[in-house]
Amino acid sequence: MRPDPFSENHLNHCGPVGLADGERILLWMLRQWVTARVLGEEPGQRLSKKAGALVSARVATAFILMMSAIEGQVRRPLCVSAPCCKGYADDEQRLITACGVCPASPEIAGRLIEGLVITPESVTVMARFLNAALANDGMALPMRFDEPEVSASQTRPPTLQ
């Protein structure tokens, strides 16, 4: 039987080099959410089972609330990288960056996600709550206002839609 590529053991291999712990956790949880949808599972239950050893109940709840808000008003399917991909799909980067910048600039956070959802204000409120929950657990998100450097050897990752 093959190991689950979204298990806690694969967290360190999730996403590009240079992500902060909080960013890597968010990316891992986002990919867990998408995996659950693809497999026909309830994402909240999957996260509750798999994330318990990694994050507090507060972080998991905040993430579930944010994703529920996104799904309730999504404009188009989110583009999310394949399991354990070292890359960072555009939608993943937008959501995680929005979570990081929302305490300093809800306007920038809203602009980052306005193409993904109908009313970015409600998602921005959830992202701010998620940011605070991560900070409370010692995994504060950096406020990145620029895009990470990508080496010329990296190619676009396969995505799930």
Side-chain angles (χ1 to χ4, degrees), residues 57-68:
R58 180 185 300 179
V59 170
T61 299
F63 181 80
I64 291 167
L65 287 171
M66 184 183 78
M67 289 306 296
S68 297

Side-chain angles (χ1 to χ4, degrees), residues 73 75 106 109-111 113-115 117-125:
Q73 57 171 323
R75 289 185 185 271
R111 281 186 286 196
I113 58 176
E114 69 186 356
V117 295
I118 297 166
T119 57
E121 298 82 12
S122 62
V123 176
T124 301
V125 169

Side-chain angles (χ1 to χ4, degrees), residues 37-83:
R37 287 291 183 223
V38 169
L39 296 175
E41 297 174 6
E42 163 52 40
Q45 289 177 343
R46 183 177 182 91
L47 281 170
S48 295
K49 285 183 213 171
K50 296 201 169 267
L54 299 171
V55 296
S56 67
R58 180 185 300 179
V59 170
T61 299
F63 181 80
I64 291 167
L65 287 171
M66 184 183 78
M67 289 306 296
S68 297
I70 289 169
E71 283 190 343
Q73 57 171 323
V74 71
R75 289 185 185 271
R76 60 172 174 73
L78 297 179
C79 182
V80 177
S81 294

Side-chain angles (χ1 to χ4, degrees), residues 78-151:
L78 297 179
C79 182
V80 177
S81 294
C84 298
C85 181
K86 289 286 188 184
Y88 209 7
D90 290 342
D91 290 347
E92 292 171 328
Q93 186 174 0
R94 286 180 176 280
L95 285 171
I96 293 167
T97 302
C99 287
V101 302
C102 66
S105 179
E107 299 79 23
I108 290 175
R111 281 186 286 196
L112 283 166
I113 58 176
E114 69 186 356
L116 306 177
V117 295
I118 297 166
T119 57
E121 298 82 12
S122 62
V123 176
T124 301
V125 169
M126 300 298 172
R128 190 170 186 155
F129 173 51
L130 178 55
N131 184 307
L134 283 163
N136 189 58
D137 282 7
M139 294 181 281
L141 296 172
M143 288 187 221
R144 299 182 191 270
F145 289 99
D146 58 345
E147 293 189 22
E149 289 186 32
V150 178
S151 70

Side-chain angles (χ1 to χ4, degrees), residues 5-27:
F6 286 102
S7 72
E8 297 85 355
N9 298 331
H10 288 84
L11 177 64
N12 292 329
H13 304 290
C14 189
V17 174
L19 291 182
D21 289 344
E23 291 172 310
R24 197 164 304 284
I25 289 284
L26 286 183
L27 182 59

